Amino acid sequence: MKSKYIAEPFRIKMVEPIKTLSFEERLKKIEEAHYNLFYLDSEDVYIDLLSDSGTGAMSTEQWAGMMKGDEAYSGSVNYKHLVKTAQEIFGYKYIQPVHQGRAAEKVVMPIFLKPGKYAIANMHFDTTRAHVEIAGARAIDCVVPEALDTKTYSPFKGNMDTKRLVKLIEEYGAENIGLIIMTITNNSAGGQPVSMENMRETSEIAKKYNIPLLIDAARFAENAYFIKTREKGYENKSIREIVLEMFSYAQLFTMSSKKDAIVNIGGLIGIKDDEELYEKVKSNTIPYEGFISYGGLAGRDLEALAIGLKEGIDFNYLRYRIGQMEYLASRLDEAGIPYQYPVGGHAIFIDAKRLLPHIPYYEFPGQALAVELYKEAGIRGCDVGSYMLGNDPDTGKQLQAEFEFTRLAVPRRVYTQAHLDVIADALIAIKERADSIKGYKITWEPKILRHFTAKLKPIE
Ligand SMILES: *Cc1c(COP(=O)(O)O)cnc(C)c1O
């Protein structure tokens, strides 16, 4: 069934022109970019779906707040406003701003983790995993098996596999598990939500074994919306109530505010009530991020963040936001274009393995589709598949990813229904000529994180 497009709960006051290049110009640009979309200049992109992080549009209130930046070194008005707002929303006593999500991880992870320790998460986001490993510990993912089935509906594919969690704790020894991490929504599983029931169960297990529970809170508001609309007993609760309950189950959170708090830069650490832990967080924040009352941000950024936190949990905004994703997904359903189902909160993961079955994993179907979308309509997405996964570090052989996705992440409050139609129409046009689309081979690659900088060429 086709989803109705939920009209924007805002009107547009300021516009940012975007360019449409001709088909021939796009062919030239992508060739010059070595068929790697990260090399494209953003001004050569018509619809940019590379990330939903820091790419949202701020409101009039936020921009007005920027003008009220108090740039004092210590104790600014904006810091106090931010702390008070975050205390109210999350119900936590201590709030520490930082410059983005990974900065929060850099501050927090070494407090809990060291060599010999483990962190267990429903799924670690890549920077979270990196900071677990930088602290000398090991990261274990423990998501429910439904997350791996792209075709079948399940309302909370982001959940922790709690049975397996208990087994892992018993196997490695509770004293060796430094942290249990709940990522909401589960980014790496495709923006899939975690249920309140699963939060509660996970927190009971954590308590029983005396292991701290940390929320990776980048998309906490989208997660709360999914709980409200999908979980029994929460239909009549407000987003605020749901957020308060979710956070009541954890001891601390790290947050990239570049997602649900709709700012272009910013992050937070929250601590429920442990004063000793707050002291440790402050001691790490000062050398890494700057004094506690600015944490790597300007006063004006703190103000925009305080306002964005409130706008991000507004029900009408969230209904429109998730409504956009559902509208796009319903257009793909009509056309039989496969994606990770149901669609997540911030991105749609097109199943390139099923759309381009003639391209083997070592010729990168997810990347081929991403290039094709740029050629077709100037849309920029990215591969989340074997191209991103890379080579086995021991043998140097190409690894095969579980999935071959092209990820289209949708910035907040930026694109309109007509833009979403351009995306759907481009995918439909590509589906019609899918047989003729060729795979790619790498002509140059660095040793690690190759997808950002590798060079490719089409296989003739
Ligand atoms: C984006 C993100 C981070 C890292 O945040 P940055 O602001 O990009 O440093 C951590 N965890 C999750 C789940 C994220 O989506």
Side-chain angles (χ1 to χ4, degrees):
M1 199 188 65
K2 187 157 167 187
S3 285
K4 193 168 172 299
Y5 186 87
I6 310 276
E8 284 76 9
F10 52 81
R11 56 188 175 193
I12 297 166
K13 189 190 291 269
M14 194 188 285
V15 297
E16 182 182 9
I18 43 180
K19 223 169 38 182
T20 31
L21 300 180
S22 69
F23 181 68
E24 288 70 30
E25 286 170 319
R26 290 199 296 270
L27 289 188
K28 188 161 162 278
K29 293 288 181 191
I30 195 69
E31 190 189 344
E32 285 168 3
H34 307 283
Y35 300 95
N36 181 339
L37 295 115
F38 287 96
Y39 280 124
L40 287 173
D41 289 337
S42 85
E43 57 182 2
D44 295 330
V45 174
Y46 179 52
I47 300 178
D48 203 344
L49 308 177
L50 199 53
S51 179
D52 67 316
S53 178
T55 53
M58 292 210 296
S59 66
T60 48
E61 283 295 310
Q62 285 176 296
W63 280 109
M66 297 281 282
M67 296 307 291
K68 294 197 221 160
D70 167 1
E71 305 304 343
Y73 194 88
S74 169
S76 78
V77 174
N78 317 111
Y79 168 70
K80 287 192 286 182
H81 181 201
L82 173 62
V83 169
K84 184 165 170 286
T85 306
Q87 282 170 335
E88 278 168 20
I89 291 175
F90 302 108
Y92 282 21
K93 191 163 174 195
Y94 304 109
I95 300 294
Q96 176 59 59
V98 289
H99 86 275
Q100 64 183 84
R102 68 199 67 186
E105 293 161 355
K106 184 180 175 188
V107 165
V108 163
M109 293 308 170
I111 299 174
F112 294 94
L113 300 170
K114 58 179 194 220
K117 295 259 185 192
Y118 296 85
I120 307 176
N122 53 342
M123 276 178 108
H124 293 82
F125 179 67
D126 43 18
T127 63
T128 321
R129 176 179 294 274
H131 280 293
V132 166
E133 290 174 358
I134 289 167
R138 289 288 163 262
I140 304 172
D141 285 343
C142 184
V143 73
V144 288
E146 298 94 282
L148 304 182
D149 173 359
T150 64
K151 289 186 220 172
T152 318
Y153 180 84
S154 175
F156 294 104
K157 285 188 177 180
N159 277 354
M160 181 84 79
D161 183 341
T162 48
K163 284 209 187 78
R164 182 156 172 252
L165 174 63
V166 172
K167 268 201 214 129
L168 286 169
I169 297 171
E170 298 280 351
E171 187 184 328
Y172 289 96
E175 68 284 2
N176 297 319
I177 314 295
L179 276 176
I180 295 174
I181 301 172
M182 196 61 120
T183 310
I184 59 172
T185 56
N186 191 328
N187 184 350
S188 310
Q192 298 292 321
V194 171
S195 71
M196 193 73 90
E197 185 186 17
N198 190 252
M199 291 281 310
R200 201 178 301 124
E201 275 176 26
T202 302
S203 113
E204 278 160 17
I205 294 166
K207 225 178 264 153
K208 179 174 161 204
Y209 290 97
N210 202 22
I211 303 165
L213 177 60
L214 176 149
I215 294 180
D216 180 351
R219 299 183 183 80
F220 75 100
E222 291 172 5
N223 201 87
Y225 180 83
F226 282 119
I227 288 176
K228 182 174 169 69
T229 51
R230 291 183 185 174
E231 189 164 351
K232 235 182 127 223
Y234 289 92
E235 312 79 337
N236 299 321
K237 295 236 159 106
S238 68
I239 298 292
R240 265 189 187 267
E241 287 169 321
I242 293 171
V243 169
L244 269 178
E245 183 178 341
M246 286 192 315
F247 282 81
S248 74
Y249 296 123
Q251 279 75 56
L252 74 160
F253 70 79
T254 52
M255 178 192 290
S256 167
S257 308
K258 299 168 68 174
K259 283 82 173 223
D260 277 2
I262 330 181
V263 286
N264 305 118
I265 194 73
L268 285 176
I269 298 166
I271 298 159
K272 191 193 263 164
D273 51 20
D274 183 342
E275 193 182 346
E276 218 176 296
L277 175 57
Y278 179 47
E279 288 305 326
K280 289 183 193 160
V281 162
K282 282 196 285 190
S283 307
N284 282 354
T285 299
I286 294 170
Y288 288 154
E289 288 287 292
F291 191 62
I292 53 162
S293 70
Y294 70 89
L297 294 168
R300 53 182 173 268
D301 300 325
L302 301 172
E303 190 62 26
L305 174 50
I307 298 164
L309 277 173
K310 278 193 263 184
E311 292 182 358
I313 56 171
D314 179 77
F315 176 76
N316 288 325
Y317 155 72
L318 284 166
R319 190 174 58 151
Y320 141 79
R321 161 80 178 154
I322 305 297
Q324 275 205 323
M325 303 308 297
E326 288 171 349
Y327 172 79
L328 179 57
S330 77
R331 286 230 38 211
L332 302 192
D333 287 339
E334 280 180 334
I337 291 167
Y339 60 90
Q340 161 75 299
Y341 178 80
V343 65
H346 70 287
I348 189 159
F349 288 61
I350 310 296
D351 192 338
K353 199 193 282 189
R354 281 163 66 208
L355 196 63
L356 307 172
H358 58 288
I359 302 180
Y361 72 91
Y362 51 83
E363 293 178 7
F364 315 129
Q367 181 67 11
L369 178 57
V371 170
E372 220 52 35
L373 272 166
Y374 180 73
K375 286 201 265 178
E376 179 67 31
I379 297 161
R380 173 156 72 170
C382 69
D383 172 278
V384 177
S386 297
Y387 170 61
M388 185 173 121
L389 188 62
N391 299 319
D392 185 308
D394 297 323
T395 66
K397 266 189 71 176
Q398 173 66 49
L399 293 163
Q400 181 173 9
E402 184 111 31
F403 303 114
E404 303 295 343
F405 286 132
T406 302
R407 187 186 85 164
L408 306 176
V410 180
R412 292 168 182 77
R413 305 191 290 206
V414 169
Y415 293 115
T416 64
Q417 179 175 19
H419 289 121
L420 301 186
D421 284 332
V422 170
I423 299 164
D425 292 343
L427 282 162
I428 292 165
I430 290 168
K431 181 172 186 256
E432 274 160 20
R433 55 179 168 81
D435 293 349
S436 68
I437 293 168
K438 304 238 166 42
Y440 283 80
K441 81 170 183 215
I442 292 177
T443 58
W444 178 86
E445 63 184 305
K447 281 216 164 54
I448 51 163
L449 293 175
R450 72 170 181 200
H451 60 291
F452 292 119
T453 55
K455 297 176 180 174
L456 303 99
K457 80 174 196 210
I459 294 169
E460 291 310 333

